[in-house]
Amino acid sequence: MGLTDQLPGRPNQKVIVALDVDNRIKAMELVTNLASELNWFKVGMELFSAEGPQIVREISDAGAKVFVDLKFHDIPNTVARASAAITRLGAAMLNVHCGGGKEMMQRAVEAVREAAAQERIPVPKLIGVTVLTSMSQTVLTGEAGVNRELKEHVQALALLAKEAGLDGVVASPQEVEMIRAACGPEFIAVTPGVRPVWAALNDQKRVTTPAEALRLGSTYLVIGRPITGAPDPKAACRKILQEMSNNDDK
Ligand code: C5P
């Protein structure tokens, strides 16, 4: 991949580029263009639904790490079997909804480990989704019927994920400190909603700069449009990684 700096914890190991595109050509163009700068890419529902599981194999065969962001939420047996299938594709990270309960998460953990052992491949990181950042307190309580403070609910679900054996959760950067306090320093926090000051907000409302997300304790930063929608995605990517490195040095 031509990366000169592959040490764990360096910015190029922490940024995950969200490939929110609707076809393989656009996705592989971005992967080819950006693979010299970093090595994590996220395949979400749109790209997976359009191109199928082969896109995960293709990106991973190109030498990159793939986060398969399909947010599984179903009965334990179904989620376990789907998680095993995603593992066999060569995903390095995948996720499930914490709201599916502890047994569902535990079964996913076991299935992912078994599938990786059978295939003799590294065990992918299994991440929980607590409360979607698009949910407000009004929706959580009025529609989903959850009578807890949103923050308290996020924290409780993160703790449940940890107890079930998950490696971490997806969270907004603003929630990371609270999650760390509850789940400890090793627990992974994957944070979207990251915007450099020079980029457009798009539809993200509460945003944090990459440097600030790092300072707050994010393990991985999911960044989409500031890179993929830039006139020169590679230059935007370099600029972001440089800003993060400068912050590391302080
Ligand atoms: O383009 P942008 O940087 O906003 O992309 C963020 C990515 O993270 C998208 O793929 C989006 O679906 C995902 N995401 C998010 N907020 C969440 C969970 C996931 O923006 N709470």
Side-chain angles (χ1 to χ4, degrees):
M1 299 202 53
L3 283 183
T4 50
D5 186 359
Q6 284 281 3
L7 292 174
R10 303 300 296 171
N12 62 18
Q13 294 277 304
K14 287 178 153 280
V15 171
I16 304 176
V17 176
L19 296 172
D20 293 327
V21 292
D22 60 5
N23 72 68
R24 176 192 163 269
I25 306 278
K26 287 186 203 159
M28 291 315 293
E29 230 172 63
L30 283 163
V31 172
T32 310
N33 187 13
L34 298 173
S36 57
E37 307 306 314
L38 40 67
N39 58 0
W40 275 99
F41 295 92
K42 180 167 90 69
V43 173
M45 286 180 197
E46 181 187 11
L47 184 57
F48 195 91
S49 303
E51 292 291 349
Q54 188 52 34
I55 191 71
V56 178
R57 282 213 183 88
E58 191 170 349
I59 299 169
S60 135
D61 286 349
K65 292 186 176 176
V66 187
F67 171 18
V68 179
D69 178 18
L70 296 178
K71 303 182 179 72
F72 289 141
H73 191 170
D74 209 313
I75 58 171
N77 187 55
T78 304
V79 168
R81 294 179 70 89
S83 301
I86 297 295
T87 302
R88 282 188 224 104
L89 287 177
M93 187 183 285
L94 68 153
N95 56 7
V96 299
H97 267 284
C98 302
K102 197 168 175 181
E103 190 199 339
M104 188 203 81
M105 290 191 274
Q106 281 169 333
R107 291 281 306 279
V109 171
E110 287 161 17
V112 157
R113 286 187 189 149
E114 272 168 32
Q118 278 163 6
E119 300 289 320
R120 296 169 196 247
I121 53 175
V123 182
K125 309 228 176 290
L126 189 58
I127 304 296
V129 177
T130 56
V131 179
L132 295 170
T133 47
S134 51
M135 298 274 278
S136 62
Q137 181 75 56
T138 315
V139 175
L140 186 74
T141 304
E143 297 176 17
V146 176
N147 288 316
R148 275 202 280 223
E149 283 280 323
L150 197 148
K151 278 202 154 180
E152 205 187 308
H153 193 51
V154 167
Q155 193 177 39
L157 288 174
L159 213 48
L160 191 71
K162 189 180 180 198
E163 284 166 17
L166 262 58
D167 298 295
V169 288
V170 182
S172 102
Q174 282 91 349
E175 292 164 350
V176 171
E177 279 178 317
M178 170 190 86
I179 289 167
R180 287 245 167 279
C183 302
E186 303 297 317
F187 203 58
I188 293 173
V190 181
T191 60
V194 178
R195 287 288 179 274
V197 277
W198 43 267
L201 291 184
N202 311 111
D203 55 353
Q204 297 284 8
K205 295 196 176 66
R206 294 177 300 129
V207 298
T208 304
T209 65
E212 179 67 357
L214 277 189
R215 197 192 63 72
L216 290 167
S218 299
T219 321
Y220 294 99
L221 282 60
V222 174
I223 306 180
R225 288 160 292 179
I227 293 175
T228 57
D232 181 346
K234 190 185 266 194
C237 183
R238 282 189 177 151
K239 199 169 168 189
I240 288 171
L241 295 175
Q242 190 56 50
E243 282 178 20
M244 289 166 67
S245 301
N246 292 345
N247 188 67
D248 258 5
D249 298 340
K250 279 179 195 152

